[in-house]
Amino acid sequence: MRNINVVELARIVNELKKIEGSRLSKIFLPELKLLNLRFNDKDKTSLIIDSGKVLYSTKYKIENPKNPHNFVMYLRKNINNSRVEEIRQIPGDRIVEIIFKNKNKNILIIEFFGKGNFILTDENYNVKNSARKIKEKVYEYTKKIDPFKFKKQEIYGIEEDLINIISSKLSLGKYYALNFCKDYGYNEKSKIKDIDFDSFVKDIKKYIKNLMKIGIKKLENNFYISEKNSSEKNLNNVIDELYNSKFNKKYVVSSKEYIKNEKSIKKQEKLLVEFDKKISLKQNQIDFLSANRSILENKNIKFDTKTKEFKIKIGENEISIRSGKSVENKINDLYTEIKKLRTKIKGANETIVKLRKKEISKEKIIRRIEKKKISKWYEKFRWFYTKDNNLVLGGRDATTNDILIKKHMEKEDLVFHTTDPGSPFFILKSKNPSPSEINDVSIATASYSKAWSKKIASTEVFYVNSDQVSKSANTGEFLKKGSFMIRGKKNFLNVKLGLCIGSQDGSTIGGPYSAISSKTKKYLKVIPGYESKSKIAKKISKKLNLDLDDVMKFLPNGTSKIL
């Protein structure tokens, strides 16, 4: 994906103002140019900064290295748990500052030009550390024309084509420069002196102002801010999805087993060639010695006093015969060596046959970088949204039951539980709950209770107002973890057990039929049955192309059946 320009960067920074006032909770450096900062603001913002290219908040998290980079260790020591005082862009430049305040003020400077860089300075811009080493001890900015607040005289004297002034001097880039000229009726090759300058200044400022709020045109591997497509107005979301599709893209490579097997075959084939050469050489030596059995009597034959060997030259090769051995002894030794080499050739051929018989997949699909979706706060509970888009939460165990009632139950909520013990508490967050919503939450409460594992077709559920639920036990009684006292009138319903698991925009959702069928057409119904939870999850995962672990989270404990 291309690098962002000054105006696009300004729009992103404006969307990221939400992190101001929050604390920096985690710092990672998946790659030298890729920084991941996580904040404790309301949205638990995870900021991805690809220096030299782009920054954006993400709904996903990238796998981080087990051994952190030295620069990350330095950042953690200096700015971790610091409060974000301000995030701002340097006027007219592709540089962003994040100002952190703790005991001392630190400024993280991010460059989005060239190779990019992360630089940490103090409040006086004295350089403390950087991801890529720089010579400067004090960081200084080069003053550039601010496209949002430029003065007429800053561009009036420039003797260049209009398109160059807009794309380079005002830092909008060629696409937006051409788009402006087309929309406002300017000749892209005109000079400043040839146009109504005051009208041009008014038009370009209006155009730049519009770029901060109009819709975004999303392409396969790119994006542009464009009035023609206003369906998406959050630039962070668009960039996040573009990067996510890039990182999650599957591609095919040769499998490790296949590569290893091919290397082994080539190694054996290379040995066969070497063995043949050695046999040929030794056979030539035998032929020579057989024809010259009295060679050792030749006075020109060299004798090495150190090794005590006779050295006989045959062309470029040399035969060594130890003192005390005859030519016949050497010929016999050579035959023995040839015999051993032929045994090795036989072994190498057998190994090649075995390796070629192995059934190994030549190709393997892997992921370049796997990005995992960050869970929303309520996903630690049982949850679904009703047909009317009201949130329903349920406990998974005694601990989450406790947390649900103590921390998330509000005045207007309705609280649900089965008449029989062994049920999670469910709460319906709705000011004016409809009968169908109450019925749906009752079905969920019953389905996630022990009634499911007992294969009971229907069971009784009651619901009460939140002020009827208390942790205080009656005198002489004790409430265990996850249990609560219900006082006052109860409302009862008898409901059938059954749930739906569905796929909504590639994500797993689960709950009662009417709630899930209103969100997606891709779903499967489940009821109590005789197949294990894991088998049912695998079938649903395969049919709906969903993550197996996510499906497991929505299935009740016990055996089930797919309708």
Side-chain angles (χ1 to χ4, degrees):
M1 199 174 80
R2 64 177 174 82
N3 295 15
I4 53 173
N5 65 35
V6 170
V7 176
E8 291 165 345
L9 185 59
R11 184 160 172 170
I12 292 168
V13 170
N14 195 46
E15 291 174 3
L16 290 172
K17 287 286 183 181
K18 62 181 180 178
I19 67 170
E20 292 180 350
S22 65
R23 288 192 181 275
L24 178 63
S25 56
K26 288 184 180 179
I27 307 169
F28 301 102
L29 193 77
E31 301 170 19
L32 189 60
K33 289 180 67 180
L34 202 68
L35 189 64
N36 183 6
L37 304 179
R38 297 183 191 170
F39 301 89
N40 70 347
D41 61 317
K42 183 183 175 183
D43 297 329
K44 302 292 181 188
T45 300
S46 180
L47 186 63
I48 302 295
I49 308 169
D50 192 344
S51 70
K53 283 195 173 182
V54 71
L55 85 161
Y56 60 97
S57 61
T58 182
K59 297 173 185 174
Y60 303 84
K61 55 183 176 183
I62 300 173
E63 292 294 324
N64 294 300
K66 292 179 181 178
N67 300 315
H69 191 275
N70 289 338
F71 181 63
V72 165
M73 297 299 288
Y74 188 86
L75 289 181
R76 288 175 182 175
K77 185 179 178 181
N78 284 269
I79 62 173
N80 206 27
N81 205 36
S82 295
R83 193 173 295 281
V84 180
E85 192 173 86
E86 187 182 1
I87 178 170
R88 66 189 181 197
Q89 179 187 10
I90 301 306
D93 214 336
R94 287 181 292 165
I95 300 174
V96 170
E97 290 183 348
I98 305 177
I99 302 167
F100 294 96
K101 184 74 181 290
N102 207 341
K103 290 180 181 178
N104 301 309
K105 189 180 283 188
N106 288 286
I107 303 170
L108 181 64
I109 299 167
I110 308 128
E111 296 177 343
F112 293 98
F113 54 83
K115 293 182 179 179
N117 204 1
F118 305 107
I119 303 111
L120 188 69
T121 73
D122 62 17
E123 60 184 319
N124 297 315
Y125 292 95
N126 295 307
V127 176
K128 298 172 78 172
N129 205 341
S130 59
R132 286 175 52 247
K133 297 301 175 187
I134 58 174
K135 294 178 181 178
E136 295 82 0
K137 292 184 178 180
V138 178
Y139 194 87
E140 294 181 352
Y141 297 109
T142 303
K143 190 176 180 182
K144 294 191 176 182
I145 298 171
D146 183 357
F148 296 97
K149 297 178 181 179
F150 70 90
K151 295 176 182 178
K152 291 181 181 181
Q153 57 267 33
E154 288 183 280
I155 62 169
Y156 185 72
I158 301 172
E159 294 183 0
E160 290 185 27
D161 291 347
L162 203 60
I163 192 166
N164 291 334
I165 293 171
I166 300 167
S167 61
S168 300
K169 304 301 178 184
L170 294 178
S171 306
L172 263 67
K174 196 170 182 179
Y175 173 85
Y176 295 107
L178 287 168
N179 201 37
F180 167 77
C181 291
K182 183 181 176 182
D183 289 353
Y184 286 82
Y186 288 93
N187 186 331
E188 61 191 65
K189 293 189 177 181
S190 297
K191 307 289 184 183
I192 290 288
K193 62 182 180 180
D194 300 328
I195 61 172
D196 184 337
F197 183 64
D198 288 337
S199 295
F200 166 73
V201 171
K202 185 180 177 182
D203 290 341
I204 192 68
K205 285 191 173 182
K206 181 183 176 183
Y207 178 70
I208 292 169
K209 188 178 179 181
N210 283 339
L211 289 178
M212 292 297 288
K213 57 186 179 183
I214 60 175
I216 300 144
K217 183 180 181 181
K218 185 179 173 183
L219 305 175
E220 186 179 352
N221 291 309
N222 210 339
F223 71 90
Y224 289 104
I225 300 169
S226 170
E227 285 187 88
K228 294 175 183 177
N229 187 349
S230 58
S231 59
E232 179 60 74
K233 292 191 176 181
N234 189 299
L235 191 50
N236 274 279
N237 289 346
V238 171
I239 295 171
D240 187 24
E241 290 306 316
L242 283 171
Y243 263 68
N244 181 47
S245 61
K246 169 191 165 186
F247 286 136
N248 265 340
K249 189 177 180 182
K250 291 182 179 180
Y251 66 105
V252 178
V253 296
S254 296
S255 67
K256 286 182 180 179
E257 293 85 358
Y258 176 78
I259 292 169
K260 187 178 178 182
N261 201 62
E262 287 297 300
K263 280 183 178 178
S264 298
I265 291 171
K266 285 179 181 178
K267 185 180 178 181
Q268 295 299 321
E269 287 174 341
K270 190 178 178 181
L271 286 173
L272 285 175
V273 174
E274 288 176 6
F275 293 155
D276 281 335
K277 282 182 179 179
K278 285 180 180 179
I279 288 173
S280 179
L281 175 64
K282 292 182 187 302
Q283 190 60 56
N284 288 339
Q285 290 175 348
I286 290 170
D287 293 342
F288 176 81
L289 291 174
S290 297
N292 300 276
R293 291 181 182 271
S294 59
I295 190 75
L296 295 180
E297 296 171 10
N298 192 326
K299 292 180 180 179
N300 294 324
I301 297 298
K302 291 181 181 179
F303 181 75
D304 192 328
T305 53
K306 287 184 180 179
T307 60
K308 295 182 179 180
E309 289 179 334
F310 291 100
K311 304 288 184 181
I312 305 167
K313 261 210 161 186
I314 308 173
E316 293 181 1
N317 298 306
E318 194 176 62
I319 305 173
S320 298
I321 301 175
R322 287 189 67 80
S323 177
K325 278 198 172 187
S326 65
V327 171
E328 283 75 15
N329 293 144
K330 182 64 179 178
I331 290 171
N332 288 334
D333 289 344
L334 289 169
Y335 273 124
T336 303
E337 288 171 17
I338 288 172
K339 189 177 179 181
K340 287 179 180 178
L341 286 168
R342 282 178 177 154
T343 303
K344 287 181 179 180
I345 287 171
K346 185 182 177 183
N349 280 319
E350 287 173 354
T351 302
I352 289 169
V353 171
K354 285 180 183 178
L355 289 169
R356 283 183 174 154
K357 280 183 178 179
K358 280 188 178 181
E359 292 182 4
I360 299 172
S361 175
K362 185 177 179 179
E363 294 176 335
K364 184 181 179 182
I365 295 174
I366 63 172
R367 290 185 184 271
R368 191 174 298 171
I369 299 176
E370 187 176 352
K371 297 176 82 179
K372 297 180 180 177
K373 189 176 178 182
I374 298 171
S375 298
K376 293 177 181 175
W377 68 269
Y378 53 78
E379 289 184 24
K380 62 185 173 185
F381 303 105
R382 305 275 188 196
W383 68 274
F384 67 91
Y385 278 94
T386 66
K387 193 175 181 179
D388 298 325
N389 285 323
N390 289 314
L391 181 62
V392 177
L393 299 173
R396 290 185 179 274
D397 48 35
T399 301
T400 49
N401 262 351
D402 230 33
I403 296 169
L404 183 67
I405 299 299
K406 287 180 178 178
K407 291 189 176 181
H408 299 286
M409 184 178 71
E410 295 174 316
K411 188 179 179 181
E412 294 173 335
D413 294 345
L414 290 181
V415 183
F416 294 73
H417 198 277
T418 57
T419 306
D420 295 327
S423 157
F425 278 98
F426 266 79
I427 57 175
L428 168 59
K429 293 192 165 293
S430 174
K431 291 181 180 179
N432 298 299
S434 65
S436 64
E437 284 184 313
I438 291 171
N439 189 63
D440 279 352
V441 184
S442 299
I443 291 169
T445 307
S447 298
Y448 287 115
S449 72
K450 285 186 178 179
W452 189 281
S453 57
K454 291 177 181 177
K455 300 177 184 63
I456 297 171
S458 63
T459 192
E460 192 173 59
V461 176
F462 68 83
Y463 66 93
V464 295
N465 295 320
S466 60
D467 57 7
Q468 293 177 248
V469 183
S470 172
K471 187 64 180 172
S472 302
N474 293 329
T475 306
E477 293 181 357
F478 169 76
L479 289 174
K480 62 182 181 180
K481 187 177 183 180
S483 299
F484 295 88
M485 285 296 297
I486 306 295
R487 295 184 172 91
K489 184 184 175 183
K490 298 176 184 176
N491 303 284
F492 294 92
L493 283 91
N494 195 286
V495 292
K496 289 184 178 180
L497 277 65
L499 293 171
C500 277
I501 309 296
S503 173
Q504 184 181 29
D505 299 326
S507 297
T508 309
I509 56 172
Y513 168 73
S514 65
I516 301 307
S517 60
S518 68
K519 310 294 179 190
T520 179
K521 291 181 180 179
K522 296 179 181 179
Y523 60 83
L524 290 170
K525 293 181 181 179
V526 288
I527 59 170
Y530 293 92
E531 276 197 271
S532 68
K533 185 177 179 179
S534 59
K535 283 185 179 179
I536 292 290
K538 285 175 184 176
K539 286 181 180 180
I540 294 172
S541 173
K542 189 176 181 180
K543 286 183 180 180
L544 299 179
N545 193 26
L546 293 170
D547 182 81
L548 180 62
D549 291 336
D550 288 344
V551 174
M552 288 286 284
K553 288 176 185 177
F554 282 98
L555 284 173
N557 294 325
T559 53
S560 304
K561 176 185 176 182
I562 298 174
L563 292 178

